[in-house]
């Protein structure tokens, strides 16, 4: 009897083990698509804010949305990357001398409104421009992603001799190589002068590109039949946001403020900003917008602090709030789709107009050069820009 019992028990154990083995999910491989395979793009923009750089700051305000828009067209295995941007200024004499007159304006962030607003707040003032110092600071102070397959890049723009300061550009390049970061240098002025002032050396040791721009060139602003349509759609899009949390209302006000800043700059910057706002993988405000937050966590309407919502929603039931969020989400998706379609038509119109014009709009600016470099370098990381 004991022998029979032991035999049956053994059979049962074998059956259970076999069931567990064959019911176990296959291991996730590196080729499995999903959020874990999403590429990340990290960009540190380092701007000279000495006296002669007013034009550079003006171009930087406009080029932000073009740069992000270009990356918004990128995919790897049909998955769009996330984009994080950091911003530094250097060459301001009121900044800490011990820090090489370098100041971090933005840590890596996906809050594009914050980056844009800070660009508009930049002013110029005379000082010493320590390129090696600002590059090294950005490389050691920022949390660069450890994945070697992600596109990590520095754009440093300015003029004067590249070799100034007590931290050599070679020290920065050595740090960049450890972290897989590409360094691109953009000289503001004549190319030959940029080489005489050693700006090409930073890109050569940083495995990046050296180029030059006319920092005082005016950004081409070509009016199109689609501008007004985009701006009207933007008003509708802003109406789909629901602020929440203690900083929610301030963040929504910032969104409107940055809209106004870009509209005041030129139509091109404003239209490109609207185009970026149509791409949810780029323009995500889940930290203050209940609609975006609910995309990440479907239970947000049930968890949000009701007293932090707009007055019109504070007395709603949780069920009513969830339905409102769903309605706003559907509205936003439809508006974003329409913005994307109109933006494509606007871009085609501008390209045709540039081709028609005698000068072709070929003057090198911060916008044109950053776009050109990104399109070239993204290929190294299997990012396809459509």
């Amino acid at each position: 009897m004991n022998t029979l019992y032991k035999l049956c028990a053994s059979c049962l154990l074998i059956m259970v083990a076999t069931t567990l083995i064959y019911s176990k999910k296959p291991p996730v491989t590196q080729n499995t698509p999903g959020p874990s395979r999403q590429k990340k793009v990290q960009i540190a923009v380092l701007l000279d804010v000495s006296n002669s750089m007013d034009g550079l700051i003006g171009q930087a305000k406009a080029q932000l949305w073009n740069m992000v828009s270009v990356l918004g067209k990128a995919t790897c295995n049909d998955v769009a990357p996330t984009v994080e941007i950091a911003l530094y200024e250097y060459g301001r004499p009121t900044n800490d001398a011990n820090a090489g007159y370098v100041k971090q304006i933005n840590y890596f962030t996906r809050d594009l409104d914050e980056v844009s607003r800070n660009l508009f707040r930049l002013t110029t003032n005379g000082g010493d421009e320590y390129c090696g110092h600002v590059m090294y600071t950005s490389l050691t102070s920022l949390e660069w992603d450890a994945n070697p397959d992600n596109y990590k890049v520095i754009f440093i723009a300015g003029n004067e001799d590249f070799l100034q300061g007590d931290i050599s550009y070679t020290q920065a390049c050595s740090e960049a190589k450890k972290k897989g970061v590409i360094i691109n240098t953009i000289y503001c002025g004549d190319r030959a002068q940029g080489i005489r002032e050693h700006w090409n050396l930073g890109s050569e040791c940083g495995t990046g590109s050296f180029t030059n721009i006319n920092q005082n060139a005016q950004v081409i602003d070509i009016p199109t039949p689609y501008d007004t349509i985009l701006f009207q759609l933007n008003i509708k899009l802003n109406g789909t946001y629901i602020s929440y949390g203690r900083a929610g209302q301030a963040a929504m006000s910032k969104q409107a403020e940055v809209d106004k800043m870009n509209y005041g700059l030129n139509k091109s910057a404003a239209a490109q900003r609207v185009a970026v706002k149509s791409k949810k993988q780029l323009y995500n405000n889940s930290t203050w917008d209940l609609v975006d937050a609910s995309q990440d966590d479907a239970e947000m309407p049930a968890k949000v602090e009701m007293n932090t919502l707009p007055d019109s929603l504070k007395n709603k039931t949780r069920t009513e709030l969830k339905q409102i969020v769903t309605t706003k989400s559907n509205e936003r998706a439809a508006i974003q789709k329409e913005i994307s379609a109109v933006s494509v038509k606007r871009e085609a119109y501008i390209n045709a107009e540039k081709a028609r014009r005698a000068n072709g709009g070929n003057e090198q600016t911060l916008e044109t050069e950053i776009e050109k470099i990104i399109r070239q370098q993204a290929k190294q990381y299997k990012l396809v820009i459509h």
Side-chain angles (χ1 to χ4, degrees):
M1 186 67 180
N2 286 340
T3 301
L4 181 61
Y5 175 81
K6 289 178 181 179
L7 182 60
C8 290
S10 298
C11 292
L12 180 61
L13 285 172
I14 291 171
M15 289 173 63
V16 170
T18 302
T19 302
L20 287 172
I21 290 171
Y22 284 98
S23 64
K24 188 177 180 181
K25 292 182 179 179
V28 177
T29 67
Q30 289 187 336
N31 293 323
T32 301
S36 62
R37 298 293 298 156
Q38 187 176 33
K39 289 275 191 180
K40 179 186 284 188
V41 176
Q42 291 181 313
I43 302 173
V45 179
L46 321 179
L47 297 176
D48 179 354
V49 293
S50 61
N51 275 340
S52 57
M53 292 294 108
D54 287 301
L56 173 66
I57 303 307
Q59 289 186 19
K61 295 172 186 176
Q63 73 82 31
L64 170 67
W65 301 106
N66 182 67
M67 176 178 71
V68 177
S69 180
V70 170
L71 289 167
K73 301 170 187 174
T75 58
C76 178
N77 296 325
D78 296 323
V79 179
T82 60
V83 178
E84 297 177 349
I85 299 175
L87 179 63
Y88 283 78
E89 66 172 28
Y90 69 103
R92 187 185 304 281
T94 54
N95 289 339
D96 185 0
N98 293 326
Y101 306 108
V102 170
K103 182 179 180 181
Q104 182 185 93
I105 307 300
N106 277 112
Y107 194 79
F108 277 136
T109 181
R110 295 183 64 189
D111 186 346
L112 301 178
D113 288 347
E114 183 69 13
V115 176
S116 183
R117 184 169 68 172
N118 285 334
L119 281 170
F120 276 90
R121 289 176 172 177
L122 286 182
T123 57
T124 56
N125 196 355
D128 295 312
E129 300 99 309
Y130 296 162
C131 296
H133 206 127
V134 69
M135 291 191 301
Y136 186 78
T137 299
S138 69
L139 285 160
T140 54
S141 299
L142 295 171
E143 188 176 348
W144 294 92
D145 191 87
N147 188 341
D149 295 330
N150 285 331
Y151 182 29
K152 295 163 286 187
V153 60
I154 286 173
F155 290 99
I156 177 169
N159 65 6
E160 303 299 336
D161 200 305
F162 198 77
L163 307 183
Q164 296 179 77
D166 57 357
I167 295 182
S168 170
Y169 72 93
T170 57
Q171 190 174 348
C173 288
S174 177
E175 194 67 26
K177 287 175 183 175
K178 289 179 192 175
K179 296 180 177 178
V181 180
I182 295 174
I183 297 175
N184 299 300
T185 60
I186 302 173
Y187 181 76
C188 298
D190 178 72
R191 182 177 180 84
Q193 182 64 23
I195 293 173
R196 284 193 292 272
E197 293 185 351
H198 310 102
W199 279 70
N200 58 309
L201 300 182
S203 60
E204 288 170 8
C205 81
T207 65
S209 294
F210 161 65
T211 190
N212 69 297
I213 64 171
N214 175 8
Q215 77 271 22
N216 295 316
Q218 294 298 310
V219 175
I220 297 174
D221 191 17
I222 299 174
T224 81
Y226 306 103
D227 298 336
T228 301
I229 299 172
L230 284 175
F231 301 153
Q232 290 173 342
L233 287 171
N234 185 60
I235 293 172
K236 291 182 179 180
L237 180 64
N238 287 351
T240 67
Y241 286 86
I242 302 174
S243 64
Y244 78 93
R246 303 195 183 282
Q249 190 55 52
M252 182 172 275
S253 296
K254 179 173 67 176
Q255 181 187 61
E257 178 189 0
V258 176
D259 273 351
K260 187 176 180 180
M261 286 175 168
N262 282 273
Y263 290 157
L265 187 63
N266 56 54
K267 285 187 176 181
S268 178
Q272 287 176 339
R273 169 171 164 77
V274 176
V276 169
K277 288 172 70 174
S278 74
K279 295 177 171 60
K280 62 182 181 180
Q281 80 276 14
L282 292 178
Y283 191 76
N284 184 290
N285 296 290
S286 56
T287 57
W288 64 265
D289 168 50
L290 191 58
V291 176
D292 278 345
S294 297
Q295 294 291 322
D296 299 335
D297 181 358
E299 298 302 314
M300 276 300 295
K303 298 189 298 188
V304 67
E305 293 182 40
M306 298 296 287
N307 63 349
T308 68
L309 295 174
D311 291 341
S312 60
L313 299 178
K314 286 180 180 178
N315 295 322
K316 298 291 184 182
T317 66
R318 296 286 180 174
T319 301
E320 289 173 330
L321 180 62
K322 184 175 182 179
Q323 182 56 53
I324 290 169
V325 169
T326 299
T327 300
K328 292 290 186 183
S329 179
N330 292 336
E331 287 178 7
R332 184 179 301 175
I335 295 168
Q336 287 177 324
K337 184 177 181 180
E338 194 172 353
I339 289 173
S340 294
V342 174
S343 295
V344 169
K345 294 178 182 178
R346 178 183 177 276
E347 190 172 328
Y349 181 95
I350 289 175
N351 289 338
E353 183 64 16
K354 283 181 178 179
R356 187 187 68 80
R357 294 186 180 190
N359 62 13
N362 292 324
E363 188 162 25
Q364 293 182 178
T365 65
L366 191 65
E367 180 175 302
T368 65
E369 297 312 287
I370 286 183
E371 176 174 347
K372 188 187 302 179
I373 290 168
I374 285 176
R375 285 184 178 277
Q376 291 171 347
Q377 294 177 350
K379 298 174 186 175
Q380 302 173 33
Y381 300 89
K382 297 181 180 179
L383 284 168
V384 179
I385 297 178
H386 304 279

